[in-house]
Amino acid sequence: MKHQNRDGLTILCLAAILAVGVALTHWASPWISGWSGSMASIAVAAAFCLITGMGGLAYLRALHAIVPLRPGRYEMEDFQCFLWKHHAVIRDVSERLLSPFFPVFLRGPFFMLLGAGMGQGATVAAHGIMADPLLTKMGDRAVVGEHACLTAHCVTDNRLIIDSIVIGPGATVGINAVVNPGVTVGEGAVIAAGAVVPPGTEIPAHELWGGVPAKRIKCLRRLAGAGQAADDIPVLGAGPADRLEAA
C-alpha cells in the first residue's frame, strides 16, 4: 500500500493522543502513587495505558461519526483509503495498550469497545482476529475460533475494498478460517477450519462451507422422522461447544 504525504497526519494525531495520555497520567500520578504504595510505578504505567488507549478509541469513534468509513472499492489515492489506514494505525496502538485489561472471558466487551456489534453470548477466541471492528457485527451466540480472521478490507488489483461483515446468530467461524469483506454468514451456518470465504459471499443459514475458496459442502440438517429428507430438517439445540467441535 502506497505511502502518501497526508499519512503524516496520522503520525501527528497519534503523537497528540500519546501526549494527552502522558499529561493526564502525570496529573493523576500523585493520587495514583498515594493509593498504590510500593506498586506505584506499575500503577502509573497501567494508568497511562488505560487513559491513552481509551483516548485513542474515543477519537476514532468521534472521527467515524463525522467522517465514516464507507463500503466500496477505492483507488490507493482515494481519501477513504487514507481514512482506513488512519483508523488502522491508531486502533492498533489503542488495542495493544488496552489488551492487558481484557482477558479471554472479556473478549466480547473488548470488541464492543473497539466498535464491533456483539450479540449476547458472541465469542471470539483468544487468538481470533477482528481486523475492522467498526465494520463487523456478530449475532447472539456466534463463535469465532482460534486464529480465525474477520477482515472487512482487502487489497486487489491495486484497489482497497471495504465492506461490512455480518456473522449471524449461532454461526461458527472455524479455526484459521478467513472471512473477507462483504461476507454475510447466515444463522447457524458453519465455516470449516482453514476455509477462505471470498469477498461478497452470502452463506445461507444452517449450511457448512469449506475449502479455498470456500464452497457449500452440505446443509446442516438432521433426519427427524421417516420419509423426511435430511436436508429438510434444521439442526436444533447445538451449543457453542458443539459448533467449535464441528469446525
Side-chain angles (χ1 to χ4, degrees), residues 83-235:
L83 187 61
W84 174 83
K85 288 190 290 182
H86 187 79
H87 271 266
V89 170
I90 294 177
R91 185 190 64 251
D92 182 67
V93 173
S94 300
E95 186 174 346
R96 291 173 186 272
L97 290 171
L98 291 173
S99 58
F101 301 96
F102 292 88
V104 174
F105 58 88
L106 291 177
R107 294 278 284 173
F110 181 51
F111 284 113
M112 288 181 66
L113 186 64
L114 293 174
M118 301 292 289
Q120 184 176 4
T123 303
V124 179
H127 298 100
I129 299 170
M130 189 182 292
D132 303 281
L134 284 171
L135 298 171
T136 304
K137 182 178 180 180
M138 293 179 62
D140 296 344
R141 306 175 311 283
V143 174
V144 174
E146 288 284 355
H147 300 287
C149 178
L150 309 181
T151 174
H153 76 278
C154 67
V155 177
T156 180
D157 296 329
N158 206 33
R159 291 185 177 184
L160 176 67
I161 300 174
I162 302 174
D163 206 350
S164 58
I165 291 174
V166 178
I167 308 297
T172 298
V173 180
I175 296 170
N176 289 322
V178 178
V179 177
N180 279 290
V183 170
T184 299
V185 181
E187 180 177 359
V190 174
I191 299 173
V196 177
V197 185
T201 302
E202 293 189 14
I203 298 178
H206 304 294
E207 287 193 359
L208 171 64
W209 282 52
V212 182
K215 296 180 180 179
R216 180 184 185 274
I217 296 175
K218 66 177 181 179
C219 206
L220 297 175
R221 310 276 174 166
R222 291 177 182 165
L223 190 61
Q228 290 180 294
D231 279 1
D232 294 333
I233 309 300
V235 175

Side-chain angles (χ1 to χ4, degrees), residues 39-47:
M39 303 291 288
S41 298
I42 296 175
V44 169

Side-chain angles (χ1 to χ4, degrees), residues 37-61:
S38 61
M39 303 291 288
S41 298
I42 296 175
V44 169
F48 168 76
C49 292
L50 187 60
I51 292 169
T52 308
M54 294 296 290
L57 294 185
Y59 164 73
L60 290 180
R61 288 293 192 94

